[in-house]
Amino acid sequence: MRLTPRAPVRLARAIGPLLLAAAVAAPAVVATPVAAPSTSARTSAAEPDFPAYDSGYHNWTETVAEIMQAAADHPDIVKVFSIGKSYQGRDIWMAKVSDNVNTDEDEPEVLIDALHHAREHLTTEQALAILHWLSDDYGTDPTVTRLVDTRETFIVFALNPDGMRYDLTGDPFRAWRKNRQRTPSGTAIYTDLNRNYGYDWGCCGGSSANKSAETYRGPAPWSAPETRALRDFVNSRVINGVQQIRTHITLHTNGELILWPYGHTKTNVPRDMTVQDHDAFVALGRAMAARNGYTAEQSSDLYITDGDQIDWLYFQHRIFSFTFELYPTEKPTVWGDHYPDDSRIAAQTARNRSAILYLIDHADCPYAAVDAAAANRNCGPLYDDFELDRGWTRDPYGTDTATAGRWERGIPAPTSKSGPKQLAASSGQRALVTGAAAGSRPAANDLDGGRTTMRSRPVTLDADPAKVGQLSFYYLFAHAATSTSADLFRVQIEAQDGTRTTVFEQRGKPVDRDGAWTQVYLSIDAWAGQTVRVVVQAVDGGAGNLVEAGVDDVRIRR
Ligand code: LU0
Ligand code: ZN
Ligand code: CA
Ligand code: CA
């Protein structure tokens, strides 16, 4: 493909001086608009390319042409669009693959992205291979056909097109990792995109504040246009309070690893993760590793990173997000690590087919990787651990009278007055509570003055009463010995016609009652076939009582 092929010499092994030269003396790359995609003109003379001996790799224009060709060949199931521009103005192309591709159907969504790091060219080949599996094998491979019909898969082929291109301007490579961002006055602020995400950015010694470092995190979270484009796309997939993307793979090289969050801590299940989710991460990771022969482990087992992508996707959106470090296993040099011969592409991308299709499949219920019980528990029409805002409304009827300590989703601070009253969350770190902060004394931030109400998003129940799962939740209701039956905690079902039925109620009495998370199971078969909402209320009906209430892990099972 290339018009002026370089001599097919293999790379020198000495990476140190070459990397330094690249960092110090690299000429600025002039912003170049992406050439109109066309299969007949796949490269231009100015377009950096792989050496002839590696022509099996796609350079930037070949990558774009290949994506556009897939959309042209399969217009019913492939749609290509840009999620934003790189620093130098290149489109960051995304392909959506699904049946009825032009409609945003209510189907579980999967995100796959490649090439955060400029030199990791095998990742773009992997992303292109996935696009080809899903589009070329649709209608012939039954698994692919089912997944295209029942999922929406979004693929980014190169999050860092400027870096990808720049890497090919060396002799023949620059072993470049970061993006190509500069300040308006021209100072290099090349950023490691996988350290620029906004969760616990720069927190934990897993990135560098030094501009010339390979892991420079940028001057601020989201300072790179490329991470902002990815962020804005993911944020846009929250529909009616629910993130549509359930599973994700970010493709890197190398190491033959499957990594789950977190990267910023060595703790397996820190407070910002739930046990349920950790169990699913481990089960999904190991199931995929069994399919491709990689090693599955927590990301921080490799080394600590902060501001990386999977930490943000899980923390902010609870997406089951994995890093794949592709072929080969660790080699002693950057060249050995990141530039496998193009003869390896076909086998090393095909190797991941079963693992990647597995994760696309599990987008409908990631917990199914653990066992059927976990699937039934967490993949019914409602599962809310309150770690995210999933569309609850406070005071939905405009009838609340509480003056303080109203329901809020927050990190409850434990309080104690003659024993524990408010407790830390039942799962993870957040719960629905009456005033999450502890305040200056135990009664400083409890419920006061009357009623507080919270209502869930609408949930549609199965039409067959035998298939309507139970409603379950953890609650706590604590009060001082001055309480009366005017204080209460209750749960109601709001039916389709707006009528509300109390399905659970605890009233106060004149005893000191400590907080204790208690799980309740209730039948809601009576509402089969209806679209209902769950309503929780707490009332401080007396004068100056200490009253605390909390709710966590609300489920309607399947
Ligand atoms: O970003 C990275 O440093 C990754 C590893 C982390 C995801 C743990 N390795 S890479 O840069 O060599 N792809
Ligand atoms: Zn990487
Ligand atoms: Ca929780
Ligand atoms: Ca409180």
Side-chain angles (χ1 to χ4, degrees), residues 249-263:
I249 299 171
T250 184
L251 299 164
H252 286 254
T253 62
N254 66 310
E256 302 188 5
L257 300 170
I258 295 175
L259 308 174
W260 63 75
Y262 281 111

PDB file of all heavy atoms in Angstrom, residues 249-263:
ATOM      1  N   ILE A 249     -14.467  -3.488  27.224  1.00  0.00           N
ATOM      2  CA  ILE A 249     -13.067  -3.905  27.136  1.00  0.00           C
ATOM      3  C   ILE A 249     -12.271  -2.759  26.540  1.00  0.00           C
ATOM      4  O   ILE A 249     -12.642  -2.215  25.487  1.00  0.00           O
ATOM      5  CB  ILE A 249     -12.879  -5.151  26.239  1.00  0.00           C
ATOM      6  CG1 ILE A 249     -13.646  -6.349  26.792  1.00  0.00           C
ATOM      7  CG2 ILE A 249     -11.389  -5.495  26.120  1.00  0.00           C
ATOM      8  CD1 ILE A 249     -13.678  -7.537  25.845  1.00  0.00           C
ATOM      9  N   THR A 250     -11.174  -2.398  27.200  1.00  0.00           N
ATOM     10  CA  THR A 250     -10.208  -1.494  26.586  1.00  0.00           C
ATOM     11  C   THR A 250      -9.002  -2.325  26.186  1.00  0.00           C
ATOM     12  O   THR A 250      -8.477  -3.111  26.977  1.00  0.00           O
ATOM     13  CB  THR A 250      -9.828  -0.312  27.504  1.00  0.00           C
ATOM     14  OG1 THR A 250      -8.949   0.566  26.771  1.00  0.00           O
ATOM     15  CG2 THR A 250      -9.161  -0.753  28.803  1.00  0.00           C
ATOM     16  N   LEU A 251      -8.601  -2.181  24.929  1.00  0.00           N
ATOM     17  CA  LEU A 251      -7.547  -3.026  24.372  1.00  0.00           C
ATOM     18  C   LEU A 251      -6.196  -2.322  24.469  1.00  0.00           C
ATOM     19  O   LEU A 251      -6.054  -1.168  24.048  1.00  0.00           O
ATOM     20  CB  LEU A 251      -7.868  -3.346  22.909  1.00  0.00           C
ATOM     21  CG  LEU A 251      -9.180  -4.116  22.700  1.00  0.00           C
ATOM     22  CD1 LEU A 251      -9.628  -4.041  21.245  1.00  0.00           C
ATOM     23  CD2 LEU A 251      -9.033  -5.564  23.141  1.00  0.00           C
ATOM     24  N   HIS A 252      -5.246  -3.012  25.044  1.00  0.00           N
ATOM     25  CA  HIS A 252      -3.870  -2.519  25.164  1.00  0.00           C
ATOM     26  C   HIS A 252      -2.925  -3.647  24.749  1.00  0.00           C
ATOM     27  O   HIS A 252      -3.324  -4.799  24.616  1.00  0.00           O
ATOM     28  CB  HIS A 252      -3.555  -2.125  26.614  1.00  0.00           C
ATOM     29  CG  HIS A 252      -4.200  -0.841  27.047  1.00  0.00           C
ATOM     30  ND1 HIS A 252      -3.498   0.318  27.209  1.00  0.00           N
ATOM     31  CD2 HIS A 252      -5.487  -0.548  27.347  1.00  0.00           C
ATOM     32  CE1 HIS A 252      -4.317   1.284  27.602  1.00  0.00           C
ATOM     33  NE2 HIS A 252      -5.545   0.787  27.697  1.00  0.00           N
ATOM     34  N   THR A 253      -1.654  -3.309  24.571  1.00  0.00           N
ATOM     35  CA  THR A 253      -0.602  -4.319  24.535  1.00  0.00           C
ATOM     36  C   THR A 253       0.428  -3.904  25.565  1.00  0.00           C
ATOM     37  O   THR A 253       0.641  -2.714  25.781  1.00  0.00           O
ATOM     38  CB  THR A 253       0.083  -4.433  23.160  1.00  0.00           C
ATOM     39  OG1 THR A 253       0.715  -3.193  22.838  1.00  0.00           O
ATOM     40  CG2 THR A 253      -0.899  -4.811  22.078  1.00  0.00           C
ATOM     41  N   ASN A 254       1.035  -4.840  26.261  1.00  0.00           N
ATOM     42  CA  ASN A 254       0.959  -6.256  26.022  1.00  0.00           C
ATOM     43  C   ASN A 254       1.061  -6.986  27.349  1.00  0.00           C
ATOM     44  O   ASN A 254       1.238  -6.355  28.389  1.00  0.00           O
ATOM     45  CB  ASN A 254       2.099  -6.705  25.096  1.00  0.00           C
ATOM     46  CG  ASN A 254       3.440  -6.538  25.794  1.00  0.00           C
ATOM     47  OD1 ASN A 254       3.757  -5.474  26.342  1.00  0.00           O
ATOM     48  ND2 ASN A 254       4.207  -7.613  25.835  1.00  0.00           N
ATOM     49  N   GLY A 255       1.009  -8.325  27.308  1.00  0.00           N
ATOM     50  CA  GLY A 255       1.165  -9.107  28.522  1.00  0.00           C
ATOM     51  C   GLY A 255       0.259 -10.334  28.576  1.00  0.00           C
ATOM     52  O   GLY A 255       0.412 -11.163  29.465  1.00  0.00           O
ATOM     53  N   GLU A 256      -0.747 -10.377  27.666  1.00  0.00           N
ATOM     54  CA  GLU A 256      -1.713 -11.487  27.684  1.00  0.00           C
ATOM     55  C   GLU A 256      -2.400 -11.541  29.039  1.00  0.00           C
ATOM     56  O   GLU A 256      -2.361 -12.549  29.749  1.00  0.00           O
ATOM     57  CB  GLU A 256      -1.049 -12.810  27.282  1.00  0.00           C
ATOM     58  CG  GLU A 256      -0.429 -12.719  25.896  1.00  0.00           C
ATOM     59  CD  GLU A 256       0.072 -14.034  25.334  1.00  0.00           C
ATOM     60  OE1 GLU A 256      -0.126 -15.077  25.965  1.00  0.00           O
ATOM     61  OE2 GLU A 256       0.662 -13.996  24.226  1.00  0.00           O
ATOM     62  N   LEU A 257      -3.013 -10.408  29.381  1.00  0.00           N
ATOM     63  CA  LEU A 257      -3.660 -10.247  30.683  1.00  0.00           C
ATOM     64  C   LEU A 257      -5.091  -9.771  30.502  1.00  0.00           C
ATOM     65  O   LEU A 257      -5.408  -9.070  29.538  1.00  0.00           O
ATOM     66  CB  LEU A 257      -2.908  -9.205  31.517  1.00  0.00           C
ATOM     67  CG  LEU A 257      -1.444  -9.485  31.834  1.00  0.00           C
ATOM     68  CD1 LEU A 257      -0.801  -8.242  32.444  1.00  0.00           C
ATOM     69  CD2 LEU A 257      -1.321 -10.685  32.768  1.00  0.00           C
ATOM     70  N   ILE A 258      -5.933 -10.131  31.470  1.00  0.00           N
ATOM     71  CA  ILE A 258      -7.283  -9.581  31.585  1.00  0.00           C
ATOM     72  C   ILE A 258      -7.357  -8.962  32.968  1.00  0.00           C
ATOM     73  O   ILE A 258      -7.199  -9.662  33.974  1.00  0.00           O
ATOM     74  CB  ILE A 258      -8.349 -10.684  31.417  1.00  0.00           C
ATOM     75  CG1 ILE A 258      -8.287 -11.246  29.995  1.00  0.00           C
ATOM     76  CG2 ILE A 258      -9.738 -10.141  31.738  1.00  0.00           C
ATOM     77  CD1 ILE A 258      -9.206 -12.427  29.754  1.00  0.00           C
ATOM     78  N   LEU A 259      -7.551  -7.639  33.018  1.00  0.00           N
ATOM     79  CA  LEU A 259      -7.453  -6.908  34.283  1.00  0.00           C
ATOM     80  C   LEU A 259      -8.790  -6.290  34.645  1.00  0.00           C
ATOM     81  O   LEU A 259      -9.439  -5.670  33.801  1.00  0.00           O
ATOM     82  CB  LEU A 259      -6.397  -5.804  34.153  1.00  0.00           C
ATOM     83  CG  LEU A 259      -5.020  -6.248  33.641  1.00  0.00           C
ATOM     84  CD1 LEU A 259      -4.125  -5.029  33.434  1.00  0.00           C
ATOM     85  CD2 LEU A 259      -4.377  -7.238  34.608  1.00  0.00           C
ATOM     86  N   TRP A 260      -9.187  -6.463  35.905  1.00  0.00           N
ATOM     87  CA  TRP A 260     -10.414  -5.805  36.363  1.00  0.00           C
ATOM     88  C   TRP A 260     -10.058  -4.708  37.355  1.00  0.00           C
ATOM     89  O   TRP A 260      -8.971  -4.694  37.922  1.00  0.00           O
ATOM     90  CB  TRP A 260     -11.391  -6.830  36.938  1.00  0.00           C
ATOM     91  CG  TRP A 260     -10.916  -7.572  38.158  1.00  0.00           C
ATOM     92  CD1 TRP A 260     -10.823  -7.087  39.439  1.00  0.00           C
ATOM     93  CD2 TRP A 260     -10.496  -8.943  38.210  1.00  0.00           C
ATOM     94  NE1 TRP A 260     -10.373  -8.071  40.275  1.00  0.00           N
ATOM     95  CE2 TRP A 260     -10.168  -9.220  39.558  1.00  0.00           C
ATOM     96  CE3 TRP A 260     -10.375  -9.960  37.261  1.00  0.00           C
ATOM     97  CZ2 TRP A 260      -9.715 -10.465  39.976  1.00  0.00           C
ATOM     98  CZ3 TRP A 260      -9.923 -11.206  37.682  1.00  0.00           C
ATOM     99  CH2 TRP A 260      -9.604 -11.446  39.016  1.00  0.00           C
ATOM    100  N   PRO A 261     -10.987  -3.779  37.632  1.00  0.00           N
ATOM    101  CA  PRO A 261     -10.718  -2.691  38.577  1.00  0.00           C
ATOM    102  C   PRO A 261     -10.616  -3.219  40.008  1.00  0.00           C
ATOM    103  O   PRO A 261     -11.171  -4.283  40.304  1.00  0.00           O
ATOM    104  CB  PRO A 261     -11.942  -1.786  38.432  1.00  0.00           C
ATOM    105  CG  PRO A 261     -12.676  -2.270  37.214  1.00  0.00           C
ATOM    106  CD  PRO A 261     -12.320  -3.684  37.044  1.00  0.00           C
ATOM    107  N   TYR A 262      -9.960  -2.511  40.934  1.00  0.00           N
ATOM    108  CA  TYR A 262      -9.431  -1.199  40.656  1.00  0.00           C
ATOM    109  C   TYR A 262      -7.941  -1.270  40.349  1.00  0.00           C
ATOM    110  O   TYR A 262      -7.255  -2.191  40.788  1.00  0.00           O
ATOM    111  CB  TYR A 262      -9.638  -0.282  41.857  1.00  0.00           C
ATOM    112  CG  TYR A 262     -11.032   0.276  41.979  1.00  0.00           C
ATOM    113  CD1 TYR A 262     -11.871  -0.123  43.002  1.00  0.00           C
ATOM    114  CD2 TYR A 262     -11.512   1.204  41.062  1.00  0.00           C
ATOM    115  CE1 TYR A 262     -13.154   0.414  43.116  1.00  0.00           C
ATOM    116  CE2 TYR A 262     -12.790   1.746  41.180  1.00  0.00           C
ATOM    117  CZ  TYR A 262     -13.603   1.340  42.206  1.00  0.00           C
ATOM    118  OH  TYR A 262     -14.869   1.861  42.319  1.00  0.00           O
ATOM    119  N   GLY A 263      -7.464  -0.206  39.669  1.00  0.00           N
ATOM    120  CA  GLY A 263      -6.040  -0.033  39.476  1.00  0.00           C
ATOM    121  C   GLY A 263      -5.409   0.833  40.559  1.00  0.00           C
ATOM    122  O   GLY A 263      -4.220   0.732  40.814  1.00  0.00           O
TER     123      GLY A 263
END
